[in-house]
Amino acid sequence: IELDVPKEDLPKDAKFVGKRKIVVQEMMIKRRNIEFWINRYWSDELGKIIEAEVPGEFKGSQFGPVLRSFILYQYFKNRVPHEKIWKNLKDWGIEISEGTINNILNVLPEDFSVDLSSARKAALRKCCQIHIDDTGAKFNGKNFHTFVVSNRFYTQYTTGPEKNRWSAAGAIMGGEQKFMINDTAVNFIAQKLKKPDITNYFSKLKSEKLFTRDEVEAHLGHVPLSNLSKQQLDVLRTGLAVGALRSKSAGPPIHFTISDDAPNFVGLTKNHQLCWVHEIRKYKLCEVFKRIESETLEKLVQEWRKFYGLLLNFKAQQTRELRVKIRNEFKRICSIKTLVKPLDDQLKRTWDNREGLLLFLKYPQLPLHNNQAELDVRERVIKRKISLQNRSLEGLRAWDLMLSLASTCRKLNLSFWKYIEDRISQREAIPYLGKVVASL
């Protein structure tokens, strides 16, 4: 747009001396109705009407791809509730019901699930370690649990009614619980259950077949398994889940897990690095009442903070001297006798966890904390605070899927808006996320 000064405002001696350019960003927001006239032809030979096809991105909906993408983006990225989206669109002249908005949010194209799966596989090929954490969730008034599994290339949320090790293993395997009776499973059962007859029973059933949860539950009802206690059956479920997780059928191998020391994360992978931030936080949560006990607690926390600084020095420069010093300092601090029972008990628990806490000395590429998962799980917590819960399984799966894709796009430095609009419009100008990850 070229702007000029009105001639009547110019003095007679004014001379043109050039132009000055400014750029202003603007948006255009208005309803755009598209009317398709579909040509139709009758064929006597075929005995039917032949008509032109509606473009794929407009099929099956009265609303265009940009509008549907906007609804998805507002809800999952900007955390705008259903009713606010409806009022927003109503102000712009869009005739749409709240029920239709709900359907757009819940009934998602299958391509999104395929895309997330491809991102997970490519991410694990690039980085064989994962972070895992969990948080509470609500489904139709019931308490559920959401697991977040991630690394620096992808994020995946999985929500279900159980918070146990086989559910955590299912989340790691891509959100679906799977089980396998193989050498890994049999060895796990033998070590944890210590029942030779049960071990022999499963040894005869070894195969590379993946079982679903329903198939495993049906199998656990058979003799001699039906006589086991609930805790013993839980060991069997965990062993079969670990067998599937460590098998080739689970996709790219996962060599390292980083998490806190929650029981449902223990023993899932061979190498388990525990989070130092969580470990030090436990001391701050110890219940002490007397003034002298509080002072002892503060001194102990200061000891661990200095020790954590030593760990950071090791991450910057891995030397044999630092390794030896860290092990000696760890042993010294854990040997302190405070004469305050909660603190002494916690020191013993820290010493018992030494293998997981000091795993980074053997594998320096491992982080000292689980901040990756902590940051990823925060988005799910905020969504729960705003929208509270889901009332349908479709909505539950949609939350997990779209929040996973939003977080994955952020890690890949990819615009979530451009990604959604590209997929809904079926242009596929943006490659599958697996290819994006592989190209990094």
Side-chain angles (χ1 to χ4, degrees):
I1 297 175
E2 186 173 346
L3 304 177
D4 204 354
V5 181
K7 291 183 178 181
E8 60 269 20
D9 293 342
L10 288 172
K12 294 181 179 180
D13 64 340
K15 296 180 180 179
F16 180 76
V17 293
K19 299 182 180 182
R20 182 172 67 91
K21 181 176 71 173
I22 62 172
V23 177
V24 178
Q25 295 188 68
E26 179 59 299
M27 288 181 64
M28 182 180 292
I29 301 175
K30 65 177 183 179
R31 185 179 67 183
R32 179 185 179 221
N33 287 351
I34 304 173
E35 184 177 65
F36 292 104
W37 283 85
I38 302 172
N39 292 337
R40 313 176 77 207
Y41 302 88
W42 170 257
S43 169
D44 286 328
E45 181 181 348
L46 299 177
K48 66 177 184 179
I49 291 178
I50 304 170
E51 62 180 32
E53 288 193 8
V54 176
E57 64 269 30
F58 294 96
K59 282 184 178 179
S61 178
Q62 297 179 5
F63 303 95
V66 175
L67 176 54
R68 283 180 280 148
S69 300
F70 175 80
I71 292 171
L72 291 170
Y73 185 82
Q74 286 290 87
Y75 186 74
F76 291 109
K77 181 69 174 183
N78 293 339
R79 308 164 184 158
V80 183
H82 294 71
E83 186 181 3
K84 294 285 186 181
I85 296 175
W86 176 71
K87 289 180 178 179
N88 184 183
L89 295 177
K90 186 179 179 183
D91 286 344
W92 292 349
I94 304 295
E95 298 177 4
I96 189 172
S97 68
E98 291 184 73
T100 300
I101 292 175
N102 187 71
N103 288 337
I104 291 173
L105 294 173
N106 288 347
V107 183
L108 301 172
E110 183 64 27
D111 285 351
F112 283 135
S113 297
V114 175
D115 221 356
L116 181 61
S117 178
S118 74
R120 172 188 173 273
K121 292 177 181 177
L124 293 178
R125 290 191 188 100
K126 296 277 286 189
C127 178
C128 62
Q129 65 185 40
I130 56 104
H131 295 254
I132 185 169
D133 201 359
D134 60 52
T135 185
K138 285 283 187 181
F139 172 68
N140 211 14
K142 299 177 182 178
N143 289 327
F144 271 45
H145 307 275
T146 297
F147 291 95
V148 57
V149 180
S150 65
N151 62 22
R152 56 196 177 96
F153 297 108
Y154 91 110
T155 303
Q156 185 163 16
Y157 301 94
T158 304
T159 304
E162 297 174 318
K163 181 182 178 180
N164 45 46
R165 280 199 281 180
W166 58 89
S167 296
I172 294 173
M173 285 186 282
E176 184 180 355
Q177 292 186 19
K178 298 174 184 177
F179 303 84
M180 182 179 288
I181 306 173
N182 54 14
D183 288 332
T184 302
V186 173
N187 291 337
F188 185 97
I189 292 169
Q191 292 175 8
K192 301 294 183 181
L193 207 57
K194 301 188 185 320
K195 283 183 170 288
D197 56 330
I198 301 299
T199 303
N200 292 334
Y201 175 79
F202 279 103
S203 295
K204 298 175 183 178
L205 300 175
K206 287 191 296 185
S207 70
E208 295 299 314
K209 178 184 176 182
L210 284 172
F211 295 91
T212 65
R213 176 68 185 278
D214 291 339
E215 289 172 335
V216 168
E217 292 302 318
H219 195 76
L220 294 180
H222 297 163
V223 178
L225 307 181
S226 57
N227 298 324
L228 297 178
S229 66
K230 180 182 180 301
Q231 289 76 14
Q232 291 171 329
L233 290 174
D234 285 349
V235 171
L236 296 182
R237 294 186 185 97
T238 302
L240 301 184
V242 170
L245 177 59
R246 298 186 186 180
S247 70
K248 295 180 180 179
S249 303
I254 300 170
H255 297 308
F256 305 99
T257 299
I258 301 97
S259 75
D260 56 28
D261 65 343
N264 53 336
F265 302 143
V266 175
L268 296 179
T269 56
K270 292 181 179 180
N271 300 299
H272 185 192
Q273 172 66 48
L274 296 180
C275 174
W276 270 101
V277 174
H278 280 86
E279 193 65 26
I280 296 174
R281 188 183 301 160
K282 292 176 186 176
Y283 289 87
K284 299 178 183 178
L285 298 176
C286 286
E287 293 185 353
V288 293
F289 303 100
K290 298 178 182 178
R291 179 179 176 183
I292 189 171
E293 292 180 348
S294 298
E295 292 174 353
T296 303
L297 171 59
E298 185 58 33
K299 289 179 181 178
L300 190 56
V301 171
Q302 288 300 326
E303 288 274 11
W304 284 120
R305 284 176 176 165
K306 290 179 183 177
F307 181 75
Y308 190 75
L310 191 62
L311 305 187
L312 294 177
N313 291 338
F314 175 78
K315 294 293 290 182
Q317 185 178 9
Q318 297 98 34
T319 64
R320 183 179 178 278
E321 291 75 15
L322 273 177
R323 278 190 177 88
V324 173
K325 187 175 180 180
I326 286 172
R327 292 189 184 279
N328 291 338
E329 274 295 289
F330 181 80
K331 185 176 182 179
R332 181 189 67 80
I333 297 174
C334 289
S335 300
I336 294 174
K337 300 299 180 183
T338 66
L339 302 181
V340 180
K341 190 176 186 307
L343 299 183
D344 288 340
D345 290 345
Q346 183 55 51
L347 283 168
K348 184 180 182 303
R349 285 192 289 269
T350 299
W351 175 253
D352 292 340
N353 286 335
R354 60 189 179 277
E355 184 178 346
L357 289 169
L358 300 179
L359 185 65
F360 72 94
L361 293 176
K362 184 177 180 182
Y363 302 102
Q365 72 271 25
L366 296 178
L368 300 173
H369 49 71
N370 196 32
N371 289 358
Q372 176 76 74
E374 292 285 331
L375 293 172
D376 289 331
V377 82
R378 184 180 298 170
E379 187 63 34
R380 192 63 169 76
V381 173
I382 294 173
K383 187 62 181 171
R384 183 186 67 219
K385 288 181 177 180
I386 294 173
S387 300
L388 184 59
Q389 65 175 340
N390 300 105
R391 293 193 175 275
S392 68
L393 284 173
E394 291 81 5
L396 189 70
R397 301 294 172 245
W399 274 29
D400 285 345
L401 177 58
M402 296 307 291
L403 292 177
S404 299
L405 289 171
S407 180
T408 301
C409 285
R410 174 179 56 82
K411 292 179 178 181
L412 300 179
N413 198 26
L414 187 64
S415 165
F416 189 51
W417 163 254
K418 291 181 179 178
Y419 169 77
I420 292 178
E421 202 270 331
D422 178 81
R423 293 298 187 263
I424 297 294
S425 299
Q426 300 182 15
R427 288 195 305 272
E428 297 187 0
I430 298 175
Y432 271 105
L433 295 183
K435 291 185 177 181
V436 177
V437 173
S439 67
L440 296 177

